[in-house]
Amino acid sequence: MTSQDDYVAASIIFGQQLMELADDEWFFSTPCPEWDVRTIVAHVILGEAMFVDLLKGGVIESFTDIDVSILGPNPIATWRGTAVAAIDVASQQEVETKKYEHPLGNIDGTTIIGLRVTENLVHASDIAQACGRRIELPNELADRCLDFWAPLTDALSASDMIGNPVMPPEDASPGTRLLCLMGREINSLHD
C-alpha cells in the first residue's frame, strides 16, 4: 500500500460518514470543542482544497476560523469535488518525494499525505461519535497512521494541531490507539 492508497481509503471512510448524515445531524455537536458536524466537514473540505493548492505550487497558511458557507448548497457534492481533486493531485508520481513549504516547515509530500489521511480518519470518527454511530477504523490503515505519527507526535503536539493524547485501554485496537493519540476520548461507539 502506498500513502496515496491510504489517502483514498481514508477519504472513502470520511465520505461514508457524510452519506449517512440526516438533515438535523449536520448541526450536532462533535468531540471538537465549539465545532458542529458542518464545521468539521467545512474544515476537511478547506484542508483538501489547501492540499491541492500546495501541491500545485501555492503557498498555504494555518487557519483557525472555519466559514461553513464553503459547504455551498450541496455539502456532499462540495466535499466530493475537493476530495477527488486532492486524490488526483496526490497520485502524481513526484508528489511523495518532493518538498513543500507547509505551515509545519519544508516537508515532503508523503508527510503531507499522512496528515490528510489522519485528518480524514479522525474526523470521520468525530462525525460518527456526534451522531451516535459506531465506527471501526481498519486495523492496517490505523497501524500505518500510528507508524507515521511515531516520529512526529512531539513536534505536532507542541503545534496545537492535535489534541492532548489520551491513554488508550490496554486491549485497544489500532484505530482506538490512533484516536487516543489524537486526543479523542473513546466511548463504546468505537472498536
Side-chain angles (χ1 to χ4, degrees):
M1 297 286 287
T2 66
S3 61
Q4 289 102 333
D5 293 330
D6 287 347
Y7 191 24
V8 170
S11 296
I12 289 170
I13 291 167
F14 185 82
Q16 288 169 335
Q17 291 304 312
L18 293 188
M19 301 304 163
E20 293 182 24
L21 286 171
D23 290 345
D24 62 327
E25 291 176 331
W26 287 87
F27 300 94
F28 284 9
S29 296
T30 70
C32 297
E34 301 177 20
W35 284 11
D36 61 10
V37 170
R38 293 174 313 148
T39 309
I40 282 188
V41 175
H43 170 77
V44 171
I45 288 171
L46 184 56
E48 304 294 28
M50 291 171 63
F51 174 75
V52 170
D53 287 345
L54 180 65
L55 268 59
K56 287 186 172 184
V59 176
I60 63 169
E61 295 183 21
S62 295
F63 61 92
T64 54
D65 294 329
I66 310 288
D67 183 356
V68 296
S69 69
I70 193 172
L71 298 174
N74 187 338
I76 293 174
T78 302
W79 165 79
R80 188 176 292 121
T82 57
V84 167
I87 289 168
D88 184 54
V89 170
S91 68
Q92 297 173 7
Q93 188 172 7
E94 72 280 355
V95 164
E96 287 189 334
T97 55
K98 188 174 176 184
K99 297 281 190 174
Y100 300 90
E101 274 305 319
H102 187 275
L104 295 175
N106 191 324
I107 55 180
D108 62 53
T110 299
T111 301
I112 298 169
I113 292 171
L115 296 171
R116 298 304 315 145
V117 169
T118 305
E119 182 102 343
N120 276 276
L121 292 177
V122 171
H123 288 317
S125 173
D126 291 338
I127 291 171
Q129 186 170 341
C131 299
R133 287 193 281 275
R134 182 173 171 74
I135 187 170
E136 188 170 329
L137 301 179
N139 285 340
E140 290 181 6
L141 181 55
D143 265 333
R144 284 191 296 278
C145 282
L146 288 165
D147 289 344
F148 164 78
W149 280 95
L152 301 172
T153 304
D154 291 340
L156 289 174
S157 290
S159 73
D160 294 330
M161 290 185 71
I162 63 174
N164 291 325
V166 174
M167 183 61 71
E170 195 170 306
D171 60 346
S173 69
T176 296
R177 290 195 328 266
L178 176 65
L179 294 171
C180 288
L181 178 64
M182 297 294 119
R184 298 312 193 263
E185 295 287 342
I186 301 304
N187 62 31
S188 61
L189 298 174
H190 292 89
D191 32 35

